[in-house]
Amino acid sequence: MIPRLKGTDDILPPESARWRRLLRGFDDLAARYGYDLVLMPVLEATELFARGVGADTEVVQKQMYTFEDRGGRSVTLRPEFTAGIVRAYVEAGGTGVMKVAASGPQFRYEQPQKGRRRQFHQVDLEYLGEPGPRADIEVIEMSHRLLAEAGVPGITVHLNSIGDASDRATYRDLLRDFLHGVANELSPDSRRRMDDNPLRVLDSKVDKDVVAAAPVPLDHLGAETAAHFAAVRSGLDAAGIGYEIAPRLVRGLDYYNRTVFEVFSPAFEAAQSSLGGGGRYDPLGELIGSRLPVPGVGVAMGCDRIVAAMPDLESPRLDVFVAVAGAAREDVASSWVRRLRAEGLRVDWAGGDRSLKSQFKAADRSGAAAVAVIGDEWERGEVRVKSMATGEEVTMDIEEAVAWLHR
Ligand code: AMP
């Protein structure tokens, strides 16, 4: 027996039922907001993430699955969607607005624990080509709505603005000065970062107390970024989406500017508890070689964590389980099952070579709302139908039974 690799999961029934609900919900949500489907390569050139995500980030330095392929190129299993999607937009000669939704596995070599896997699944939304706050508002609203519709309780949005590069030039000096002042108290990681990447020190978990008094980007926004952030806030207010300002939230990747956010729920408690996060990444396109700027906002939601925060639904898995009395009625049953499925009902059956008792057991296990028995009555144009919820059993005309099953 060869077991699965550490940090990877087999997602099997019955747990996979919640996955199906989440992924369908995501697909439906994306369609309602006008996001088209994109299917992205799992393998990308390592350079894409090194330049896009940032060579000094945790993801690139410590977590990528990078290897040389047989042609001697350095390739990487994608650790995230955004850089690949922006690459695809630029490569396709993208201009104007493109709103897309993607879903699939990501790979990061992490220390596995609850909610922190080496292969994990994300659903992702990207709103490209829109510099205005409408994109930020829409993406945050959708992140909230995805969770709300999945039944995740107590959703909290943490929101911040980290400004533009021009706002940050003076701010970084202030922050650096502050960090140098407290350097003795900082962790080695933060001390190493404080000159090249001081912003990252702000959301360091280990240095939380030391940086509590640090200056924050929000207090140093330029007029334009401040107005952008104010518009995002009032848009969220108008959408009825509550949020908390999180002045030290910067997110770990280099490509963000202006709006950044994360989404939490108390239903998922773990060391790493964010269910999703994203923000605006206007600098990303040029970081990966686009001649034109590519304004955009996106979010990636972690499905493994969301599913763990979703309630189990008691709703039946099938509309009807069809039981067959006697192998001789197998063909009749088979074509009736086909008809019901073609009409959109969720139907399963076990076949007439098994005893009715064993078929009823299978029906019970199947989580069907009803059982329909094809027996002697069939010859008179009737079928016996039993509601699993009430135990009530009625013999009905076949067409009547079909209508009843559809209700
Ligand atoms: P990030 O871009 O790292 O903030 O990731 C966005 C979301 O993906 C997070 O909020 C998590 O829900 C999820 N996520 C990130 N890394 C992992 C991981 N190693 N295992 C499971 N989920 C993850």
Side-chain angles (χ1 to χ4, degrees), residues 141-166:
E141 175 184 323
M142 291 175 76
S143 310
H144 189 280
R145 176 146 296 171
L146 177 75
L147 297 180
E149 291 180 356
V152 173
I155 307 158
T156 329
V157 178
H158 287 186
L159 181 70
N160 193 20
S161 173
I162 57 171
D164 282 342
S166 57

Short mmCIF file of all heavy atoms in Angstrom, two decimals, residues 141-166:
data_model
loop_
_atom_site.label_atom_id
_atom_site.label_comp_id
_atom_site.label_asym_id
_atom_site.label_seq_id
_atom_site.Cartn_x
_atom_site.Cartn_y
_atom_site.Cartn_z
N GLU A 141 -17.57 42.15 -2.03
CA GLU A 141 -18.98 41.75 -1.87
C GLU A 141 -19.17 40.28 -2.23
O GLU A 141 -19.84 39.52 -1.53
CB GLU A 141 -19.86 42.64 -2.75
CG GLU A 141 -21.33 42.24 -2.75
CD GLU A 141 -22.16 43.10 -3.73
OE1 GLU A 141 -21.88 44.31 -3.84
OE2 GLU A 141 -23.08 42.55 -4.36
N MET A 142 -18.53 39.85 -3.34
CA MET A 142 -18.68 38.46 -3.77
C MET A 142 -18.04 37.48 -2.79
O MET A 142 -18.54 36.38 -2.57
CB MET A 142 -18.08 38.28 -5.17
CG MET A 142 -18.88 38.98 -6.24
SD MET A 142 -18.05 38.86 -7.84
CE MET A 142 -18.43 37.15 -8.29
N SER A 143 -16.90 37.88 -2.21
CA SER A 143 -16.23 37.01 -1.24
C SER A 143 -17.15 36.76 -0.05
O SER A 143 -17.29 35.65 0.44
CB SER A 143 -14.94 37.66 -0.73
OG SER A 143 -14.17 38.10 -1.81
N HIS A 144 -17.78 37.85 0.39
CA HIS A 144 -18.71 37.77 1.50
C HIS A 144 -19.92 36.91 1.13
O HIS A 144 -20.34 36.03 1.87
CB HIS A 144 -19.13 39.18 1.89
CG HIS A 144 -19.93 39.25 3.16
ND1 HIS A 144 -21.27 38.96 3.21
CD2 HIS A 144 -19.56 39.54 4.43
CE1 HIS A 144 -21.70 39.09 4.45
NE2 HIS A 144 -20.68 39.43 5.21
N ARG A 145 -20.43 37.16 -0.05
CA ARG A 145 -21.64 36.45 -0.48
C ARG A 145 -21.40 34.95 -0.66
O ARG A 145 -22.24 34.13 -0.33
CB ARG A 145 -22.16 37.07 -1.79
CG ARG A 145 -23.36 36.33 -2.36
CD ARG A 145 -24.32 37.24 -3.05
NE ARG A 145 -24.91 38.19 -2.12
CZ ARG A 145 -25.67 39.22 -2.46
NH1 ARG A 145 -25.94 39.44 -3.72
NH2 ARG A 145 -26.17 40.03 -1.56
N LEU A 146 -20.22 34.61 -1.20
CA LEU A 146 -19.91 33.18 -1.39
C LEU A 146 -20.03 32.44 -0.05
O LEU A 146 -20.64 31.38 0.04
CB LEU A 146 -18.49 33.02 -1.95
CG LEU A 146 -18.04 31.56 -2.10
CD1 LEU A 146 -18.74 30.91 -3.30
CD2 LEU A 146 -16.54 31.43 -2.23
N LEU A 147 -19.44 33.04 0.98
CA LEU A 147 -19.46 32.40 2.30
C LEU A 147 -20.87 32.39 2.88
O LEU A 147 -21.32 31.38 3.44
CB LEU A 147 -18.50 33.12 3.25
CG LEU A 147 -17.03 33.09 2.85
CD1 LEU A 147 -16.19 33.84 3.87
CD2 LEU A 147 -16.54 31.65 2.73
N ALA A 148 -21.57 33.53 2.74
CA ALA A 148 -22.92 33.61 3.29
C ALA A 148 -23.82 32.57 2.65
O ALA A 148 -24.57 31.86 3.33
CB ALA A 148 -23.48 35.02 3.10
N GLU A 149 -23.71 32.42 1.33
CA GLU A 149 -24.57 31.47 0.63
C GLU A 149 -24.17 30.02 0.93
O GLU A 149 -24.97 29.11 0.82
CB GLU A 149 -24.57 31.76 -0.88
CG GLU A 149 -25.29 33.06 -1.19
CD GLU A 149 -25.35 33.42 -2.67
OE1 GLU A 149 -24.74 32.69 -3.48
OE2 GLU A 149 -26.00 34.43 -2.99
N ALA A 150 -22.91 29.82 1.32
CA ALA A 150 -22.47 28.46 1.69
C ALA A 150 -22.89 28.13 3.12
O ALA A 150 -22.67 27.02 3.58
CB ALA A 150 -20.96 28.34 1.53
N GLY A 151 -23.45 29.11 3.81
CA GLY A 151 -23.94 28.87 5.17
C GLY A 151 -22.88 29.07 6.24
O GLY A 151 -23.07 28.67 7.39
N VAL A 152 -21.77 29.68 5.89
CA VAL A 152 -20.70 29.94 6.87
C VAL A 152 -21.17 31.06 7.81
O VAL A 152 -21.53 32.14 7.36
CB VAL A 152 -19.39 30.35 6.16
CG1 VAL A 152 -18.33 30.77 7.16
CG2 VAL A 152 -18.89 29.20 5.29
N PRO A 153 -21.16 30.80 9.12
CA PRO A 153 -21.67 31.80 10.06
C PRO A 153 -20.61 32.84 10.45
O PRO A 153 -19.41 32.59 10.35
CB PRO A 153 -22.04 30.97 11.28
CG PRO A 153 -21.09 29.81 11.24
CD PRO A 153 -20.79 29.54 9.78
N GLY A 154 -21.08 34.00 10.90
CA GLY A 154 -20.22 35.00 11.54
C GLY A 154 -19.09 35.54 10.69
O GLY A 154 -17.97 35.69 11.15
N ILE A 155 -19.39 35.84 9.42
CA ILE A 155 -18.33 36.29 8.51
C ILE A 155 -17.82 37.68 8.89
O ILE A 155 -18.61 38.59 9.11
CB ILE A 155 -18.86 36.34 7.06
CG1 ILE A 155 -19.50 35.00 6.70
CG2 ILE A 155 -17.77 36.72 6.08
CD1 ILE A 155 -20.50 35.09 5.56
N THR A 156 -16.50 37.83 8.96
CA THR A 156 -15.90 39.14 9.23
C THR A 156 -14.94 39.49 8.10
O THR A 156 -14.15 38.64 7.68
CB THR A 156 -15.00 39.11 10.50
OG1 THR A 156 -15.52 38.16 11.40
CG2 THR A 156 -14.92 40.46 11.12
N VAL A 157 -15.03 40.71 7.64
CA VAL A 157 -14.10 41.18 6.61
C VAL A 157 -13.10 42.13 7.26
O VAL A 157 -13.50 43.06 7.96
CB VAL A 157 -14.87 41.93 5.49
CG1 VAL A 157 -13.89 42.47 4.44
CG2 VAL A 157 -15.91 41.03 4.84
N HIS A 158 -11.83 41.87 7.08
CA HIS A 158 -10.78 42.79 7.51
C HIS A 158 -10.31 43.56 6.29
O HIS A 158 -9.99 42.95 5.26
CB HIS A 158 -9.61 42.04 8.14
CG HIS A 158 -9.91 41.51 9.50
ND1 HIS A 158 -8.98 40.91 10.30
CD2 HIS A 158 -11.08 41.50 10.20
CE1 HIS A 158 -9.55 40.55 11.44
NE2 HIS A 158 -10.82 40.88 11.40
N LEU A 159 -10.27 44.88 6.43
CA LEU A 159 -10.02 45.73 5.27
C LEU A 159 -8.91 46.73 5.57
O LEU A 159 -8.84 47.26 6.68
CB LEU A 159 -11.32 46.47 4.94
CG LEU A 159 -11.34 47.41 3.75
CD1 LEU A 159 -11.25 46.63 2.44
CD2 LEU A 159 -12.61 48.25 3.75
N ASN A 160 -8.09 46.99 4.57
CA ASN A 160 -7.05 47.98 4.76
C ASN A 160 -6.68 48.58 3.40
O ASN A 160 -7.01 48.02 2.36
CB ASN A 160 -5.81 47.33 5.39
CG ASN A 160 -4.80 48.35 5.92
OD1 ASN A 160 -5.15 49.50 6.17
ND2 ASN A 160 -3.57 47.91 6.10
N SER A 161 -5.99 49.70 3.43
CA SER A 161 -5.36 50.21 2.21
C SER A 161 -3.88 50.40 2.50
O SER A 161 -3.52 51.00 3.51
CB SER A 161 -5.97 51.55 1.77
OG SER A 161 -5.21 52.06 0.69
N ILE A 162 -3.05 49.85 1.64
CA ILE A 162 -1.60 50.01 1.83
C ILE A 162 -1.03 51.09 0.90
O ILE A 162 0.17 51.26 0.80
CB ILE A 162 -0.84 48.67 1.63
CG1 ILE A 162 -1.11 48.08 0.24
CG2 ILE A 162 -1.23 47.67 2.71
CD1 ILE A 162 -0.22 46.89 -0.10
N GLY A 163 -1.93 51.81 0.21
CA GLY A 163 -1.49 52.92 -0.62
C GLY A 163 -0.81 52.48 -1.91
O GLY A 163 -0.74 51.30 -2.23
N ASP A 164 -0.35 53.47 -2.65
CA ASP A 164 0.40 53.22 -3.88
C ASP A 164 1.90 53.34 -3.58
O ASP A 164 2.28 53.84 -2.54
CB ASP A 164 0.06 54.29 -4.93
CG ASP A 164 -1.27 54.01 -5.58
OD1 ASP A 164 -1.76 52.87 -5.48
OD2 ASP A 164 -1.83 54.95 -6.17
N ALA A 165 2.71 52.94 -4.55
CA ALA A 165 4.16 53.03 -4.38
C ALA A 165 4.57 54.46 -3.99
O ALA A 165 5.41 54.66 -3.11
CB ALA A 165 4.86 52.61 -5.67
N SER A 166 3.92 55.45 -4.61
CA SER A 166 4.33 56.83 -4.33
C SER A 166 3.99 57.21 -2.88
O SER A 166 4.74 57.93 -2.23
CB SER A 166 3.67 57.79 -5.31
OG SER A 166 2.26 57.64 -5.24
#
